């Protein structure tokens, strides 16, 4: 089930309109419509949390593991981190296409690669020439 289908189903289960949902969350009706048609997704975890609370569903129900990984990368590492995470998820999906790995093994491998990505991003520091470093100015 896609994100949009989950939102639509939960909204209808509560018998509320798109307008009601948009007012409760603080977004436009057009935004809710685009979510329900899978044309866009909430941009921040806070919006996902408001949506889950309003629809009375667990946050994990709305977020797939891949969505959560991309959102965390975006919050920790900004736009470039988000794009890198999206590319990683896309390539992992392609890697598993048509394979014969068990579902649990695919999940474990994807999780390990995602963890390695986050760890590498944390360790990866841009090179700053010595003359521009804060500690280098103290030595002069």
């Amino acid at each position: 089930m896609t994100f949009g289908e989950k939102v639509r189903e939960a909204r209808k289960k509560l018998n509320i309109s798109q307008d009601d949902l948009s007012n409760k969350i603080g977004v436009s009706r057009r935004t809710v419509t685009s979510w329900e048609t899978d044309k866009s997704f909430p941009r921040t975890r806070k919006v996902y949390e408001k949506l889950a609370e309003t629809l009375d569903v667990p946050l994990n129900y709305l977020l797939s593991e891949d969505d959560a990984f991309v959102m965390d990368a975006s919050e920790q590492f900004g736009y470039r981190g988000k794009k890198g995470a999206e590319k990683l998820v896309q390539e992992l999906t392609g890697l598993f296409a048509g394979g014969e790995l068990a579902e649990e093994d695919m999940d474990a491998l994807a999780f390990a690669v995602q963890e390695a990505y986050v760890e590498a991003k944390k360790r990866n520091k841009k090179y700053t020439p010595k003359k521009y470093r804060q500690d280098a100015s103290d030595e002069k």
Side-chain angles (χ1 to χ4, degrees), residues 15 23 25 38 40-41 45 53 58 75 78 83-85 93-94 99 102 107 111 118 127-128 131 134 140:
N15 199 26
N23 290 334
I25 296 174
D38 289 315
S40 70
F41 301 91
R45 182 175 294 277
E53 182 181 323
E75 289 174 357
K83 287 299 175 191
T93 302
D107 289 344
F111 181 74
V118 169
Y127 172 72
T128 305
K131 65 181 182 178
Q134 291 293 335
K140 290 185 179 178

Side-chain angles (χ1 to χ4, degrees), residues 92-111:
L92 280 173
T93 302
L95 177 69
F96 297 142
E100 296 183 17
L101 260 166
E103 188 74 29
E104 300 84 33
D105 294 337
M106 283 190 260
D107 289 344
L109 179 59
F111 181 74

Side-chain angles (χ1 to χ4, degrees), residues 105-124:
D105 294 337
M106 283 190 260
D107 289 344
L109 179 59
F111 181 74
V113 170
Q114 290 173 356
E115 287 292 310
Y117 174 81
V118 169
E119 188 62 32
K121 289 294 279 184
K122 286 180 181 176
R123 289 183 183 186
N124 184 17

Side-chain angles (χ1 to χ4, degrees), residues 27-125:
V27 298
S28 69
R29 188 181 69 72
R30 179 179 280 181
T31 299
V32 173
T33 301
S34 68
W35 290 345
E36 289 188 359
T37 56
D38 289 315
K39 291 182 180 174
S40 70
F41 301 91
R43 293 184 184 188
T44 64
R45 182 175 294 277
K46 192 173 186 175
V47 176
Y48 271 105
E49 289 169 353
K50 278 184 179 180
L51 185 61
E53 182 181 323
T54 303
L55 294 174
D56 196 29
V57 296
L59 178 61
N60 291 338
Y61 174 72
L62 297 176
L63 282 173
S64 71
E65 288 179 19
D66 293 341
D67 294 336
F69 168 65
V70 170
M71 187 166 298
D72 288 342
S74 175
E75 289 174 357
Q76 287 182 12
F77 309 114
Y79 179 78
R80 292 181 76 188
K82 175 185 176 187
K83 287 299 175 191
E86 287 172 342
K87 185 175 182 183
L88 181 65
V89 166
Q90 183 181 24
E91 289 176 0
L92 280 173
T93 302
L95 177 69
F96 297 142
E100 296 183 17
L101 260 166
E103 188 74 29
E104 300 84 33
D105 294 337
M106 283 190 260
D107 289 344
L109 179 59
F111 181 74
V113 170
Q114 290 173 356
E115 287 292 310
Y117 174 81
V118 169
E119 188 62 32
K121 289 294 279 184
K122 286 180 181 176
R123 289 183 183 186
N124 184 17
K125 301 207 183 209

